[in-house]
């Protein structure tokens, strides 16, 4: 079996003791970590590929727990607008004009951007063309839990998206049978619940039942805006989380995204049922959802991870930038510099993300027997030196440009900043052309922000 040995690195393992190996080595065999720290010579095969990582930092690959692959081509179509305009006049018309090919280009571009910021695993909250997302994940070599965008209820939906609860469940069951554990086990299929605005109780109950039976996850936007709780209270009698609790839909396989508007009791309910949380700081500020009570959730022992959300609401798929924001916004909100410190942010982006992905035994830390999902950071850039406190430097100082190489499942996806599985320039050309076509098809015209004079 193929072996890779990376030597002389500063290895941040994120194992249970959070051990760091200074001047350590890591031996990869096939898709797994065979040895770490001090690697005994008798374990190393003759034809091993050796990489000297002197002066570099090795981390587990980041886990982005909330992404919209099919929104990547819509970056920049909905800036500086309110949420309803964002959704109904820009993002929905844009996304509903997609076909398989645009979905594939969008997904591939999103994956490449993530790989360049050190992401090896992501949780996708749902597009219309799951087949195209599967193909993108297969081609890019990443690890992902994919779900369909599932909506059976609610106002303002594009016509071709309205389905019954049974139709939505059936389609997802087929996708699960076809793709779960495909691409060498890198692809998982989850069940999607877009948001309670667009999901009936019947669908929520059926989703919970089938996801439990199939032992897979559920990805749902929860308590995203204040108006969501008002809507659920007036239509169903309780806030979103209280209502889900009443339905019996809370559980350890539920990933709750955003969770901005939670009461103390709702945080306690999440703890009780081990509901997982994806915090998306950039999107929460840019689309003005509000500030999630993350320090309070962490204090109560909730498993909180980090997500970027989609390109029209962030607008970057950059986990390095997201880690920085995660720490800063809560210090600012609570006026306490000690909340959400760098080491906790790193936990959120790695091991906590693995728990959200229901893959804690396989990824999220660098340990013998786990999958070889890792990144190499090169701190030798003018914006990140000197390196007095490496963990703090990663979170507060480095950017995605410091991610030198990315490996998933024992395969290099990016080496020395070069994407190995496709021609990035070609992808960018396709992306520019396709995004323009879709914008025209969806009839979206953006006003000029300054007078534009065409020079002929
Ligand atoms: Zn989202």
């Amino acid at each position: 079996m193929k072996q890779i040995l990376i030597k002389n690195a500063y290895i941040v393992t994120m194992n249970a003791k959070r051990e760091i190996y200074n001047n350590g080595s890591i031996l990869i065999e096939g898709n797994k970590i065979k040895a770490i720290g001090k690697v005994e010579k008798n374990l190393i095969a003759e034809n091993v590929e050796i990489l000297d990582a002197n002066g570099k930092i090795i981390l587990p690959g980041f886990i982005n727990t909330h992404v919209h692959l099919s929104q990547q081509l819509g970056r920049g179509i909905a800036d500086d607008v309110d949420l309803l305009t964002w959704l109904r006049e820009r993002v929905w018309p844009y996304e509903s004009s997609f076909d398989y090919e645009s979905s594939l280009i969008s997904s591939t571009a999103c994956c490449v951007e993530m790989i360049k910021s050190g992401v090896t695993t992501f949780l996708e909250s749902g597009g219309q063309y799951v087949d195209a997302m599967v193909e993108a994940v297969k081609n890019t070599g990443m690890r992902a839990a994919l779900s369909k965008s599932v909506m059976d209820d609610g106002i303002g939906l594009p016509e071709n998206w309205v389905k019954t609860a049974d139709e939505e469940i059936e389609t997802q069951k087929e996708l699960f049978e076809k793709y779960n554990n495909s691409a060498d086990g890198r692809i998982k299929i989850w069940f999607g619940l877009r948001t309670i605005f667009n999901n009936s109780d019947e669908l929520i109950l059926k989703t919970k039942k089938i996801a439990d039976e199939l032992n897979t996850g559920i990805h749902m936007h929860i308590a995203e805006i204040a108006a969501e709780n008002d809507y659920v209270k007036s239509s169903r009698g309780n806030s979103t989380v209280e209502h889900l609790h009443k339905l019996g839909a809370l559980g350890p396989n539920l990933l709750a995204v955003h969770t901005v508007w939670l009461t103390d009791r709702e945080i306690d309910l999440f703890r009780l049922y081990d509901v997982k949380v994806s915090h998306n700081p950039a999107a929460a500020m840019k689309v003005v959802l509000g500030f999630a009570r993350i320090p309070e959730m962490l204090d109560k022992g909730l498993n909180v991870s980090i997500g970027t959300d989609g390109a029209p609401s962030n607008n970057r798929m950059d986990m390095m930038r997201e880690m920085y924001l995660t720490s800063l916004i809560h210090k600012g909100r609570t006026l306490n510099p000690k909340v959400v410190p760098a080491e906790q942010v790193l936990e959120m982006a790695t091991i906590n993300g693995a728990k959200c992905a229901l893959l804690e035994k396989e990824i999220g830390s660098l340990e013998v027997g786990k999958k070889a999902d890792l990144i190499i950071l090169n701190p030798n850039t003018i914006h990140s030196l000197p390196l007095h406190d490496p963990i703090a430097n990663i979170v507060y100082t480095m950017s995605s440009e410091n991610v030198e190489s990315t490996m998933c499942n024992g395969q290099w996806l990016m080496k020395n900043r070069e994407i190995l599985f496709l021609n990035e320039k070609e992808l960018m050309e396709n992306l520019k052309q396709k995004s323009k076509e879709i914008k025209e098809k969806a009839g979206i015209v953006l006003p000029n922000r300054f007078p534009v004079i065409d020079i002929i």
Side-chain angles (χ1 to χ4, degrees):
M1 224 184 289
K2 193 189 163 201
Q3 282 193 347
I4 299 171
L5 178 68
I6 310 172
K7 300 193 306 184
N8 304 323
Y10 187 85
I11 304 175
V12 182
T13 65
M14 301 309 289
N15 66 13
K17 292 185 191 162
R18 305 290 186 257
E19 286 165 322
I20 291 172
Y21 297 114
N22 191 18
N23 202 27
S25 299
I26 179 162
L27 180 66
I28 294 132
E29 188 172 271
N31 65 357
K32 286 189 179 155
I33 296 166
K34 192 173 170 69
I36 188 163
K38 185 174 163 57
V39 174
E40 299 296 339
K41 281 207 175 88
N42 61 352
L43 294 176
I44 304 169
E46 259 177 41
N47 58 348
V48 65
E49 172 191 329
I50 297 177
L51 189 86
D52 191 340
N54 190 17
K56 315 243 170 100
I57 299 171
I58 296 183
L59 278 175
F62 297 131
I63 297 161
N64 183 349
T65 57
H66 185 61
V67 185
H68 293 259
L69 291 184
S70 58
Q71 289 181 358
Q72 188 78 357
L73 297 186
R75 167 184 284 155
I77 57 160
D79 295 332
D80 308 331
V81 295
D82 63 73
L83 190 64
L84 280 185
T85 310
W86 187 95
L87 200 62
R88 291 185 189 160
E89 288 173 34
R90 305 287 177 85
V91 173
W92 279 355
Y94 195 89
E95 255 191 274
S96 63
S97 303
F98 265 44
D99 55 15
Y100 184 92
E101 197 200 347
S102 33
S103 194
L104 179 60
I105 293 170
S106 187
S107 302
T108 307
C110 189
C111 287
V112 170
E113 189 184 359
M114 284 195 278
I115 290 165
K116 295 191 96 167
S117 83
V119 174
T120 50
T121 297
F122 65 90
L123 310 184
E124 150 67 38
S125 76
Q128 295 300 325
Y129 293 91
V130 178
D131 301 74
M133 301 196 296
V134 166
E135 194 177 335
V137 175
K138 269 188 190 157
N139 296 343
T140 58
M142 295 183 83
R143 195 182 299 285
L146 305 173
S147 38
K148 183 183 176 295
S149 181
V150 171
M151 296 182 275
D152 71 325
D153 190 10
I155 35 170
L157 279 180
E159 223 172 87
N160 55 342
W161 282 4
V162 184
K163 300 272 174 358
T164 67
D166 283 335
E167 280 170 344
E168 290 287 32
I169 295 289
E170 214 38 55
T171 312
Q172 294 179 92
K173 265 165 75 177
E174 281 165 23
L175 289 167
F176 185 89
E177 276 157 28
K178 199 166 165 193
Y179 295 123
N180 192 53
N181 280 328
S182 62
D184 302 322
R186 287 184 285 108
I187 294 175
K188 305 286 178 199
I189 298 293
W190 280 26
F191 282 71
L193 288 169
R194 184 77 178 215
T195 149
I196 202 153
F197 282 115
N198 299 111
N199 294 146
S200 68
D201 286 356
E202 181 197 354
L203 180 68
I204 293 168
L205 285 167
K206 286 182 171 165
T207 301
K208 169 71 178 157
K209 187 166 176 280
I210 187 80
D212 286 355
E213 271 170 28
L214 296 174
N215 201 17
T216 191
I218 303 168
H219 198 134
M220 184 178 190
H221 298 89
I222 290 179
E224 201 172 352
I225 50 173
E228 179 186 316
N229 279 333
D230 298 340
Y231 167 78
V232 185
K233 271 179 199 159
S234 67
S235 59
R236 308 188 207 188
N238 275 305
S239 64
T240 307
V241 173
E242 294 278 5
H243 184 67
L244 292 173
H245 176 228
K246 217 176 81 190
L247 290 178
L250 301 180
N253 59 346
L254 176 63
L255 178 73
V257 179
H258 295 308
T259 61
V260 175
W261 298 91
L262 295 193
T263 62
D264 283 341
R265 188 184 129 84
E266 289 169 333
I267 293 175
D268 288 340
L269 282 173
F270 271 21
R271 178 76 189 98
L272 188 64
Y273 289 93
D274 192 20
V275 174
K276 312 296 193 296
V277 169
S278 174
H279 175 45
N280 296 214
M285 288 192 284
K286 184 160 181 290
V287 199
V288 293
L289 309 177
F291 297 105
R293 298 167 67 208
I294 298 303
E296 291 88 333
M297 293 183 206
L298 290 166
D299 274 355
K300 286 198 170 170
L302 261 62
N303 188 76
V304 183
S305 61
I306 300 173
T308 53
D309 211 344
S313 54
N314 185 310
N315 294 356
R316 290 282 304 273
M317 301 292 101
D318 183 338
M319 275 295 276
M320 296 294 281
R321 190 162 92 161
E322 217 65 28
M323 289 199 296
Y324 175 73
L325 288 176
T326 296
S327 186
L328 261 62
I329 75 168
H330 299 292
K331 294 183 199 310
R333 178 177 76 82
T334 58
L335 301 178
N336 180 356
K338 292 180 181 167
V339 299
V340 199
E343 58 272 31
Q344 204 164 28
V345 173
L346 220 45
E347 288 172 353
M348 292 165 80
T350 55
I351 191 68
N352 290 11
K355 288 175 191 165
C356 287
L358 309 175
L359 291 171
E360 190 193 352
K361 290 198 175 92
E362 292 187 49
I363 58 171
S365 60
L366 301 175
E367 296 178 66
V368 172
K370 278 201 169 184
K371 295 281 159 59
D373 289 14
L374 58 85
I375 58 173
I376 301 177
L377 300 177
N378 182 357
N380 295 305
T381 58
I382 196 68
H383 68 257
S384 52
L385 289 174
L387 195 63
H388 293 304
D389 180 348
I391 298 295
N393 194 303
I394 292 166
V395 173
Y396 298 125
T397 316
M398 289 192 201
S399 71
S400 57
E401 287 156 59
N402 295 94
V403 181
E404 188 177 80
S405 299
T406 303
M407 172 187 280
C408 181
N409 215 32
Q411 301 282 335
W412 293 112
L413 309 186
M414 177 176 77
K415 217 169 173 187
N416 299 316
R417 298 294 294 160
E418 191 196 341
I419 295 290
L420 299 181
F421 51 84
L422 56 69
N423 182 327
E424 202 181 335
K425 278 195 184 132
E426 226 169 75
L427 173 68
M428 288 194 283
E429 285 311 313
N430 290 338
L431 178 160
K432 282 194 265 186
Q433 200 192 327
K434 203 38 111 177
S435 60
K436 209 171 132 214
E437 276 172 35
I438 301 284
K439 194 168 82 173
E440 280 162 15
K441 197 172 158 196
I444 295 168
V445 181
L446 301 181
N448 287 331
R449 289 169 186 261
F450 291 123
V452 176
I453 300 152
D454 282 323
I455 307 294
I456 302 161

